[in-house]
Amino acid sequence: MENLALIDSFSEFKDDKLIDRVTLMAILEDVFRNALKKKFGSDDNFDIIINPDKGDMEIWRRRVIVADDDLDLENEEITLTEARKIEPDFEIGEEVSEEVKLIDLGRRAILALRQNLISKIHEHDNTNLYKQFKDLIGEIYTAEVHHVRPRVVILVDDEGNEIVLPKEKQIPSDFFRKGDNVRGIIESVELKGNKPQIVMSRTSEKFLEKLFEQEIPEVFDGLIMVKNVVRIPGEKAKVAVDSYDDRIDPVGACVGMKGSRIHGIVRELGNENIDVINYTSNIQLYITRALSPAKVSSIKINEETKRAEVFLKLEEVSKAIGRGGHNIKLAGQLTGYELDVIREGNVAEEEDDVELTEFSDEIEAWVIEEFAKIGLDTARSILKQDVNDLVRRTDLEEETIMDVMRILKEEFNS
């Protein structure tokens, strides 16, 4: 019963771990064999018998009987006198089996055994956790905010596993409080020492793709395929979709009536503006669709350099470029082509047009920069715009825009 009592004391914490009794016994055997090697130099002549049902184990030491005058005893040998203390009729050359009580190993060795066992079980748990989350890489996962730090948010799932959401993996508008539920994809799992570090991301293109799978039944069922996703997290995204079934409108199915289906995804991503377009292998048509809402006049493609000259009317240029250049940047990433905008317009107007930078003595540099961000870098390109539309697409006040237009009009009226 001594062994049983000691084993129970070793395994008292197993109920708090994700480990079954059979695995625990296997770990126990490994731990005890290491202890035997340390004490006797070898464990080859030891038999460890484990009964996982009862949680008991026995350790037997096998030794060959040698003469008493053999002074250079090996681990596998015992003198005749010592052997006859076990059984009085033993003879030289016979094998003796003697049970080893754990208590005989000494208190210090037992404490070391316990510590080694705890370490092995933690290692086992961490290995299982690593494998479990390795299989979840690229999948959506939900966890609760446990602690918010300046550079990282610490999350905990229902099993108490710790997941980290670094600042750079958060959408810029994200704001978390303790107890909030957070969704993202498991982006990576790395072993830091013996402990796995599980990293979540909300900025990955894969997260948006998986949200489409979750929220749109036709994507989940495979009737609609997400061909490509590009995004500037929290700002704008473009998603190319396709379907082998001509009866299904992939864009309409993804967006839903009045945007009902995509609204939940937009809200999850901090009101990220999502353009859903029909995928096509016709690269000219693909680029045209990718530059929506701008209307493209024509496209000249260079397959070797993967560049495309996109010809646009003056009033379409700013739409193609988009606020902060986001639209043309994402269109290029989606199609795999570097896009160069070529303006089309009235020749006479273009000849007497004036670069906006020429007005730097009257218009502040940061205001000029705001217009440039949406592709408006000449006087006439701004004067053709609607004031309300410019307020919506820039960070400028209506009064500032009106002042700029007044200055520009004076240039052409003088």
Side-chain angles (χ1 to χ4, degrees):
M1 291 298 292
E2 290 175 342
N3 284 7
L4 180 58
L6 276 168
I7 291 169
D8 281 343
S9 78
F10 288 153
S11 59
E12 63 192 11
F13 51 83
K14 87 165 185 67
D15 294 332
D16 296 328
K17 301 288 179 182
L18 297 174
I19 183 170
D20 59 87
R21 200 167 186 84
V22 174
T23 304
L24 179 65
M25 290 297 151
I27 293 174
L28 269 170
E29 179 175 355
D30 183 51
V31 167
F32 284 119
R33 285 203 174 275
N34 286 334
L36 292 170
K37 286 178 187 175
K38 191 171 182 180
K39 185 172 179 66
F40 299 105
S42 170
D43 68 327
D44 292 342
N45 60 316
F46 287 87
D47 296 317
I48 300 178
I49 303 167
I50 296 177
N51 185 340
D53 294 328
K54 293 181 179 179
D56 194 10
M57 68 182 291
E58 297 175 355
I59 302 174
W60 292 86
R61 185 183 186 188
R62 291 176 283 101
R63 288 183 288 179
V64 176
I65 301 170
V66 297
D68 289 346
D69 57 2
D70 191 341
L71 300 178
D72 190 19
L73 284 178
E74 299 289 337
N75 172 42
E76 297 85 359
E77 297 175 334
I78 185 174
T79 64
L80 181 61
T81 300
E82 289 299 315
R84 284 180 173 172
K85 289 179 182 178
I86 301 169
E87 289 287 346
D89 54 353
F90 273 133
E91 298 293 342
I92 291 174
E94 292 184 323
E95 186 176 82
V96 176
S97 287
E98 181 184 13
E99 187 174 3
V100 177
K101 300 294 184 182
L102 297 185
I103 201 72
D104 295 338
L105 297 176
R107 181 175 173 276
R108 183 176 295 180
I110 290 171
L111 288 173
L113 277 168
R114 183 184 177 87
Q115 189 57 46
N116 196 12
L117 177 62
I118 292 171
S119 176
K120 290 279 186 182
I121 287 178
H122 285 163
E123 186 179 318
H124 172 270
D125 287 346
N126 288 335
T127 300
N128 280 356
L129 191 63
Y130 178 80
K131 290 177 181 176
Q132 175 191 340
F133 278 92
K134 236 355 184 180
D135 292 338
L136 290 174
I137 287 178
E139 297 296 329
I140 286 184
Y141 203 76
T142 303
E144 185 178 294
V145 175
H146 183 260
H147 192 69
V148 179
R149 295 174 183 164
R151 299 297 304 165
V152 69
V153 173
I154 307 298
L155 311 169
V156 176
D157 67 9
D158 292 339
E159 269 76 52
N161 300 315
E162 188 178 283
I163 299 162
V164 297
L165 176 60
K167 187 71 176 177
E168 64 271 17
K169 306 293 182 184
Q170 300 170 28
I171 296 167
S173 60
D174 279 345
F175 178 76
F176 303 116
R177 291 187 180 91
K178 184 177 174 64
D180 287 349
N181 280 327
V182 179
R183 276 203 297 179
I185 63 154
I186 302 299
E187 186 172 71
S188 66
V189 184
E190 298 177 4
L191 281 173
K192 299 288 186 180
N194 285 327
K195 187 176 181 181
Q197 184 182 69
I198 305 157
V199 179
M200 180 184 280
S201 172
R202 286 173 50 79
T203 58
S204 168
E205 283 82 6
K206 193 72 176 175
F207 182 39
L208 178 49
E209 181 181 339
K210 287 295 179 178
L211 284 172
F212 266 67
E213 283 185 20
Q214 274 198 358
E215 303 293 333
I216 300 162
E218 291 87 346
V219 177
F220 180 81
D221 293 336
L223 298 174
I224 293 175
M225 292 79 66
V226 176
K227 301 291 286 187
N228 197 9
V229 177
V230 291
R231 60 187 291 226
I232 300 170
E235 292 286 345
K236 190 174 180 65
K238 288 184 181 285
V239 181
V241 294
D242 197 10
S243 173
Y244 292 127
D245 191 336
D246 294 337
R247 295 169 298 178
I248 296 176
D249 171 18
V251 172
C254 289
V255 174
M257 188 73 70
K258 295 183 179 179
S260 58
R261 284 186 161 184
I262 206 166
H263 181 67
I265 299 174
V266 170
R267 190 170 58 247
E268 174 70 53
L269 300 180
N271 293 323
E272 194 168 302
N273 185 358
I274 302 173
D275 291 343
V276 185
I277 69 167
N278 276 315
Y279 173 81
T280 174
S281 56
N282 181 328
I283 193 62
Q284 291 216 10
L285 181 56
Y286 196 26
I287 292 172
T288 299
R289 290 173 178 174
L291 283 170
S292 176
K295 294 177 181 176
V296 177
S297 300
S298 62
I299 300 173
K300 184 178 178 182
I301 292 174
N302 187 322
E303 291 284 359
E304 289 183 7
T305 60
K306 289 291 181 180
R307 294 180 75 98
E309 292 182 342
V310 182
F311 294 86
L312 298 151
K313 291 181 179 178
L314 288 177
E315 61 269 22
E316 298 297 324
V317 170
S318 62
K319 296 177 188 175
I321 293 173
R323 181 173 177 175
H326 293 159
N327 198 59
I328 196 166
K329 178 181 179 181
L330 290 175
Q333 290 175 356
L334 190 75
T335 59
Y337 279 74
E338 191 167 337
L339 306 179
D340 298 319
V341 170
I342 309 296
R343 293 177 174 83
E344 293 179 329
N346 183 288
V347 175
E349 282 190 355
E350 284 192 13
E351 284 179 353
D352 75 345
D353 202 355
V354 182
E355 293 288 330
L356 203 57
T357 52
E358 296 293 321
F359 298 88
S360 57
D361 56 337
E362 297 177 84
I363 304 172
E364 293 185 60
W366 71 271
V367 176
I368 293 173
E369 179 63 26
E370 276 299 308
F371 284 115
K373 284 179 182 176
I374 62 169
L376 304 177
D377 53 9
T378 68
R380 289 194 182 278
S381 67
I382 292 173
L383 289 173
K384 287 185 176 185
Q385 304 299 317
D386 178 74
V387 174
N388 291 330
D389 189 45
L390 289 176
V391 171
R392 181 179 59 82
R393 290 163 53 208
T394 68
D395 286 331
L396 299 173
E397 299 288 338
E398 182 178 345
E399 185 180 352
T400 304
I401 294 170
M402 293 293 289
D403 283 344
V404 169
M405 286 191 159
R406 177 183 54 76
I407 293 166
L408 301 181
K409 283 176 183 176
E410 288 176 358
E411 168 70 19
F412 295 107
N413 293 334
S414 59

